[in-house]
Amino acid sequence: MTNAALMEFQKTPGWLDWYPGPSRPRFKVPPGAVDAHCHVFGPGAEFPYAPERKYTPCDASKQQLFALRDHLGFARNVIVQATCHGADNRAMIDALLHSDGKARGIATVKRSGSDAELRPMHDAGVRGVRFNFVKRLVDFTPREELIEITGRIEKLGWHVVIYFEAVDLPELWDFFTSLPTTVVVDHMGRPDVSKPVDGPEFELFVKFMRDHPNVWSKVSCPERLSIAGPPALNAEQNAYRDVVPFARRIVETFPDRVLWGTDWPHPNLKNHMPDDGLLVDFIPHIATTSELQHKLLVDNPMRLYWPEHS
Ligand code: 0GY
């Protein structure tokens, strides 16, 4: 048996593969636009999934990611380490190294790793670490471990990406607000969009950003947050409409601290896999002027990930 055969992985039952033939978006992203949240999965035969993973995905290679980037009209990617790879960052780093400088990365780092491992990651294009608090995705990591990691990555000028669910923000508040780096929140802290956009839960998130100028947010993943669901065919103006007020509020209140990403290849979606072209067509509903669109898609991600070019 070959090594590759030994490393065949069975997808989690019911796993939805990424959408194979995305439409070409009607919305033309500005030149230099950055898809600031996406992943690569394996391929498992080359980059095995981590033993501690909570799901086994379909493969989603760097070549497939770069093809999607070009198809949608983006210039660059920020590739976020997915939990199915644990703290083994090889697949993500391999993608950075083959991107011609068009991708930066967010890694997962453990306390047991050494400082010496961080410098080559930086040279490959890693610019941050992700701390994940979504319980279905990862096991608990003690705060003192995260604080120690933050102290180490801060020296390289990296930032911290946090992923959590809205109900957990009160409990995590003190830790998040103690972080000394730029802090980027995934998917607006996963609001429950069946609640009012000006209700106490989302107000707390707005306060988090308002009171802490180092906090940024990705206004991504309408397909993950929506209860209304996907658009009817040829009716993209209604796409994930229940998420629009939330994302739009964040874009308009904090125009210089927002990022957007496809979230391709969309881990853990149970009922519906989005057409990434239609996801791009969601952007003008949440960033309604060309100035806001340029900040969201070009100026902000370039300032954070390619400051040498911005
Ligand atoms: C996302 C969201 C999810 C998964 C991961 O790394 C991951 O496994 O990020 C999720 O399941 O909500 O940002 O891709």
Side-chain angles (χ1 to χ4, degrees), residues 144-163:
E144 58 273 17
E145 183 165 343
L146 301 179
I147 290 165
E148 190 182 314
I149 293 165
T150 307
R152 288 164 54 200
I153 61 103
E154 193 188 2
K155 294 185 206 136
L156 290 162
W158 293 8
H159 60 270
V160 174
V161 173
I162 51 178
Y163 190 27

PDB file of all heavy atoms in Angstrom, residues 144-163:
ATOM      1  N   GLU A 144      -4.000  31.331  29.814  1.00  0.00           N
ATOM      2  CA  GLU A 144      -2.572  31.687  29.977  1.00  0.00           C
ATOM      3  C   GLU A 144      -1.751  31.196  28.791  1.00  0.00           C
ATOM      4  O   GLU A 144      -0.761  31.813  28.413  1.00  0.00           O
ATOM      5  CB  GLU A 144      -2.004  31.222  31.320  1.00  0.00           C
ATOM      6  CG  GLU A 144      -2.065  29.759  31.627  1.00  0.00           C
ATOM      7  CD  GLU A 144      -3.387  29.326  32.273  1.00  0.00           C
ATOM      8  OE1 GLU A 144      -4.392  30.071  32.211  1.00  0.00           O
ATOM      9  OE2 GLU A 144      -3.417  28.212  32.819  1.00  0.00           O
ATOM     10  N   GLU A 145      -2.209  30.131  28.159  1.00  0.00           N
ATOM     11  CA  GLU A 145      -1.497  29.654  26.960  1.00  0.00           C
ATOM     12  C   GLU A 145      -1.668  30.657  25.816  1.00  0.00           C
ATOM     13  O   GLU A 145      -0.720  30.987  25.108  1.00  0.00           O
ATOM     14  CB  GLU A 145      -2.060  28.272  26.573  1.00  0.00           C
ATOM     15  CG  GLU A 145      -1.352  27.680  25.395  1.00  0.00           C
ATOM     16  CD  GLU A 145      -1.622  26.191  25.200  1.00  0.00           C
ATOM     17  OE1 GLU A 145      -2.107  25.525  26.152  1.00  0.00           O
ATOM     18  OE2 GLU A 145      -1.337  25.699  24.100  1.00  0.00           O
ATOM     19  N   LEU A 146      -2.888  31.169  25.667  1.00  0.00           N
ATOM     20  CA  LEU A 146      -3.142  32.142  24.595  1.00  0.00           C
ATOM     21  C   LEU A 146      -2.387  33.446  24.854  1.00  0.00           C
ATOM     22  O   LEU A 146      -1.880  34.081  23.918  1.00  0.00           O
ATOM     23  CB  LEU A 146      -4.649  32.404  24.474  1.00  0.00           C
ATOM     24  CG  LEU A 146      -5.510  31.163  24.172  1.00  0.00           C
ATOM     25  CD1 LEU A 146      -6.981  31.538  24.109  1.00  0.00           C
ATOM     26  CD2 LEU A 146      -5.078  30.504  22.862  1.00  0.00           C
ATOM     27  N   ILE A 147      -2.307  33.830  26.117  1.00  0.00           N
ATOM     28  CA  ILE A 147      -1.583  35.063  26.459  1.00  0.00           C
ATOM     29  C   ILE A 147      -0.094  34.905  26.134  1.00  0.00           C
ATOM     30  O   ILE A 147       0.544  35.806  25.574  1.00  0.00           O
ATOM     31  CB  ILE A 147      -1.809  35.422  27.946  1.00  0.00           C
ATOM     32  CG1 ILE A 147      -3.262  35.884  28.138  1.00  0.00           C
ATOM     33  CG2 ILE A 147      -0.834  36.508  28.419  1.00  0.00           C
ATOM     34  CD1 ILE A 147      -3.743  35.933  29.571  1.00  0.00           C
ATOM     35  N   GLU A 148       0.432  33.741  26.437  1.00  0.00           N
ATOM     36  CA  GLU A 148       1.849  33.487  26.139  1.00  0.00           C
ATOM     37  C   GLU A 148       2.095  33.528  24.623  1.00  0.00           C
ATOM     38  O   GLU A 148       3.058  34.136  24.144  1.00  0.00           O
ATOM     39  CB  GLU A 148       2.232  32.124  26.709  1.00  0.00           C
ATOM     40  CG  GLU A 148       3.712  31.846  26.671  1.00  0.00           C
ATOM     41  CD  GLU A 148       4.022  30.452  27.218  1.00  0.00           C
ATOM     42  OE1 GLU A 148       3.472  30.080  28.282  1.00  0.00           O
ATOM     43  OE2 GLU A 148       4.804  29.740  26.567  1.00  0.00           O
ATOM     44  N   ILE A 149       1.200  32.913  23.871  1.00  0.00           N
ATOM     45  CA  ILE A 149       1.343  32.923  22.401  1.00  0.00           C
ATOM     46  C   ILE A 149       1.256  34.349  21.878  1.00  0.00           C
ATOM     47  O   ILE A 149       2.043  34.766  21.022  1.00  0.00           O
ATOM     48  CB  ILE A 149       0.261  32.024  21.760  1.00  0.00           C
ATOM     49  CG1 ILE A 149       0.519  30.556  22.122  1.00  0.00           C
ATOM     50  CG2 ILE A 149       0.223  32.210  20.248  1.00  0.00           C
ATOM     51  CD1 ILE A 149      -0.662  29.630  21.854  1.00  0.00           C
ATOM     52  N   THR A 150       0.323  35.128  22.430  1.00  0.00           N
ATOM     53  CA  THR A 150       0.167  36.513  21.976  1.00  0.00           C
ATOM     54  C   THR A 150       1.464  37.293  22.178  1.00  0.00           C
ATOM     55  O   THR A 150       1.894  38.053  21.295  1.00  0.00           O
ATOM     56  CB  THR A 150      -0.987  37.209  22.739  1.00  0.00           C
ATOM     57  OG1 THR A 150      -2.160  36.413  22.619  1.00  0.00           O
ATOM     58  CG2 THR A 150      -1.257  38.602  22.186  1.00  0.00           C
ATOM     59  N   GLY A 151       2.096  37.084  23.335  1.00  0.00           N
ATOM     60  CA  GLY A 151       3.355  37.786  23.617  1.00  0.00           C
ATOM     61  C   GLY A 151       4.425  37.449  22.593  1.00  0.00           C
ATOM     62  O   GLY A 151       5.221  38.306  22.198  1.00  0.00           O
ATOM     63  N   ARG A 152       4.398  36.218  22.117  1.00  0.00           N
ATOM     64  CA  ARG A 152       5.424  35.802  21.153  1.00  0.00           C
ATOM     65  C   ARG A 152       5.139  36.335  19.748  1.00  0.00           C
ATOM     66  O   ARG A 152       6.043  36.797  19.055  1.00  0.00           O
ATOM     67  CB  ARG A 152       5.519  34.273  21.138  1.00  0.00           C
ATOM     68  CG  ARG A 152       6.171  33.754  22.412  1.00  0.00           C
ATOM     69  CD  ARG A 152       5.949  32.277  22.609  1.00  0.00           C
ATOM     70  NE  ARG A 152       6.366  31.525  21.447  1.00  0.00           N
ATOM     71  CZ  ARG A 152       5.949  30.287  21.166  1.00  0.00           C
ATOM     72  NH1 ARG A 152       5.117  29.670  21.968  1.00  0.00           N
ATOM     73  NH2 ARG A 152       6.376  29.669  20.097  1.00  0.00           N
ATOM     74  N   ILE A 153       3.892  36.282  19.341  1.00  0.00           N
ATOM     75  CA  ILE A 153       3.589  36.701  17.954  1.00  0.00           C
ATOM     76  C   ILE A 153       3.575  38.230  17.800  1.00  0.00           C
ATOM     77  O   ILE A 153       3.808  38.758  16.716  1.00  0.00           O
ATOM     78  CB  ILE A 153       2.268  36.078  17.434  1.00  0.00           C
ATOM     79  CG1 ILE A 153       1.052  36.510  18.278  1.00  0.00           C
ATOM     80  CG2 ILE A 153       2.357  34.569  17.412  1.00  0.00           C
ATOM     81  CD1 ILE A 153       0.202  37.535  17.675  1.00  0.00           C
ATOM     82  N   GLU A 154       3.317  38.901  18.925  1.00  0.00           N
ATOM     83  CA  GLU A 154       3.284  40.364  18.901  1.00  0.00           C
ATOM     84  C   GLU A 154       4.630  40.920  18.444  1.00  0.00           C
ATOM     85  O   GLU A 154       4.698  41.939  17.748  1.00  0.00           O
ATOM     86  CB  GLU A 154       2.965  40.841  20.330  1.00  0.00           C
ATOM     87  CG  GLU A 154       2.588  42.276  20.428  1.00  0.00           C
ATOM     88  CD  GLU A 154       2.472  42.726  21.890  1.00  0.00           C
ATOM     89  OE1 GLU A 154       2.715  41.931  22.820  1.00  0.00           O
ATOM     90  OE2 GLU A 154       2.144  43.914  22.066  1.00  0.00           O
ATOM     91  N   LYS A 155       5.693  40.230  18.828  1.00  0.00           N
ATOM     92  CA  LYS A 155       7.044  40.711  18.478  1.00  0.00           C
ATOM     93  C   LYS A 155       7.269  40.723  16.970  1.00  0.00           C
ATOM     94  O   LYS A 155       8.126  41.431  16.468  1.00  0.00           O
ATOM     95  CB  LYS A 155       8.098  39.805  19.134  1.00  0.00           C
ATOM     96  CG  LYS A 155       8.114  39.878  20.639  1.00  0.00           C
ATOM     97  CD  LYS A 155       9.257  39.043  21.198  1.00  0.00           C
ATOM     98  CE  LYS A 155       8.934  38.589  22.600  1.00  0.00           C
ATOM     99  NZ  LYS A 155       9.261  37.190  22.873  1.00  0.00           N
ATOM    100  N   LEU A 156       6.515  39.897  16.261  1.00  0.00           N
ATOM    101  CA  LEU A 156       6.654  39.851  14.800  1.00  0.00           C
ATOM    102  C   LEU A 156       5.684  40.811  14.107  1.00  0.00           C
ATOM    103  O   LEU A 156       5.614  40.854  12.879  1.00  0.00           O
ATOM    104  CB  LEU A 156       6.384  38.431  14.304  1.00  0.00           C
ATOM    105  CG  LEU A 156       7.443  37.391  14.663  1.00  0.00           C
ATOM    106  CD1 LEU A 156       6.882  35.985  14.528  1.00  0.00           C
ATOM    107  CD2 LEU A 156       8.663  37.559  13.768  1.00  0.00           C
ATOM    108  N   GLY A 157       4.912  41.552  14.905  1.00  0.00           N
ATOM    109  CA  GLY A 157       3.930  42.468  14.321  1.00  0.00           C
ATOM    110  C   GLY A 157       2.667  41.757  13.864  1.00  0.00           C
ATOM    111  O   GLY A 157       1.876  42.316  13.111  1.00  0.00           O
ATOM    112  N   TRP A 158       2.468  40.504  14.300  1.00  0.00           N
ATOM    113  CA  TRP A 158       1.270  39.761  13.910  1.00  0.00           C
ATOM    114  C   TRP A 158       0.072  40.216  14.745  1.00  0.00           C
ATOM    115  O   TRP A 158       0.228  40.849  15.788  1.00  0.00           O
ATOM    116  CB  TRP A 158       1.465  38.259  14.147  1.00  0.00           C
ATOM    117  CG  TRP A 158       2.483  37.591  13.295  1.00  0.00           C
ATOM    118  CD1 TRP A 158       3.379  38.180  12.438  1.00  0.00           C
ATOM    119  CD2 TRP A 158       2.728  36.181  13.231  1.00  0.00           C
ATOM    120  NE1 TRP A 158       4.163  37.217  11.854  1.00  0.00           N
ATOM    121  CE2 TRP A 158       3.788  35.983  12.317  1.00  0.00           C
ATOM    122  CE3 TRP A 158       2.168  35.069  13.853  1.00  0.00           C
ATOM    123  CZ2 TRP A 158       4.284  34.711  12.013  1.00  0.00           C
ATOM    124  CZ3 TRP A 158       2.657  33.803  13.554  1.00  0.00           C
ATOM    125  CH2 TRP A 158       3.702  33.630  12.634  1.00  0.00           C
ATOM    126  N   HIS A 159      -1.113  39.833  14.291  1.00  0.00           N
ATOM    127  CA  HIS A 159      -2.324  40.141  15.045  1.00  0.00           C
ATOM    128  C   HIS A 159      -3.050  38.843  15.409  1.00  0.00           C
ATOM    129  O   HIS A 159      -2.622  37.750  15.032  1.00  0.00           O
ATOM    130  CB  HIS A 159      -3.226  41.108  14.280  1.00  0.00           C
ATOM    131  CG  HIS A 159      -3.687  40.590  12.962  1.00  0.00           C
ATOM    132  ND1 HIS A 159      -2.998  40.795  11.791  1.00  0.00           N
ATOM    133  CD2 HIS A 159      -4.783  39.853  12.628  1.00  0.00           C
ATOM    134  CE1 HIS A 159      -3.644  40.212  10.801  1.00  0.00           C
ATOM    135  NE2 HIS A 159      -4.726  39.635  11.281  1.00  0.00           N
ATOM    136  N   VAL A 160      -4.151  39.016  16.139  1.00  0.00           N
ATOM    137  CA  VAL A 160      -4.930  37.871  16.614  1.00  0.00           C
ATOM    138  C   VAL A 160      -6.300  37.885  15.933  1.00  0.00           C
ATOM    139  O   VAL A 160      -6.973  38.920  15.906  1.00  0.00           O
ATOM    140  CB  VAL A 160      -5.105  37.923  18.151  1.00  0.00           C
ATOM    141  CG1 VAL A 160      -6.029  36.807  18.633  1.00  0.00           C
ATOM    142  CG2 VAL A 160      -3.752  37.824  18.855  1.00  0.00           C
ATOM    143  N   VAL A 161      -6.679  36.755  15.370  1.00  0.00           N
ATOM    144  CA  VAL A 161      -8.025  36.577  14.813  1.00  0.00           C
ATOM    145  C   VAL A 161      -8.815  35.745  15.824  1.00  0.00           C
ATOM    146  O   VAL A 161      -8.315  34.718  16.307  1.00  0.00           O
ATOM    147  CB  VAL A 161      -7.954  35.847  13.451  1.00  0.00           C
ATOM    148  CG1 VAL A 161      -9.350  35.501  12.946  1.00  0.00           C
ATOM    149  CG2 VAL A 161      -7.203  36.695  12.438  1.00  0.00           C
ATOM    150  N   ILE A 162     -10.007  36.189  16.159  1.00  0.00           N
ATOM    151  CA  ILE A 162     -10.813  35.441  17.133  1.00  0.00           C
ATOM    152  C   ILE A 162     -12.121  34.990  16.481  1.00  0.00           C
ATOM    153  O   ILE A 162     -12.729  35.713  15.695  1.00  0.00           O
ATOM    154  CB  ILE A 162     -11.097  36.266  18.418  1.00  0.00           C
ATOM    155  CG1 ILE A 162     -11.663  37.649  18.094  1.00  0.00           C
ATOM    156  CG2 ILE A 162      -9.835  36.386  19.258  1.00  0.00           C
ATOM    157  CD1 ILE A 162     -12.011  38.478  19.333  1.00  0.00           C
ATOM    158  N   TYR A 163     -12.504  33.767  16.826  1.00  0.00           N
ATOM    159  CA  TYR A 163     -13.757  33.204  16.322  1.00  0.00           C
ATOM    160  C   TYR A 163     -14.574  32.732  17.516  1.00  0.00           C
ATOM    161  O   TYR A 163     -14.111  31.898  18.306  1.00  0.00           O
ATOM    162  CB  TYR A 163     -13.469  32.049  15.361  1.00  0.00           C
ATOM    163  CG  TYR A 163     -14.684  31.552  14.596  1.00  0.00           C
ATOM    164  CD1 TYR A 163     -15.766  32.386  14.322  1.00  0.00           C
ATOM    165  CD2 TYR A 163     -14.746  30.248  14.109  1.00  0.00           C
ATOM    166  CE1 TYR A 163     -16.864  31.936  13.613  1.00  0.00           C
ATOM    167  CE2 TYR A 163     -15.848  29.785  13.396  1.00  0.00           C
ATOM    168  CZ  TYR A 163     -16.903  30.637  13.152  1.00  0.00           C
ATOM    169  OH  TYR A 163     -18.000  30.194  12.445  1.00  0.00           O
TER     170      TYR A 163
END
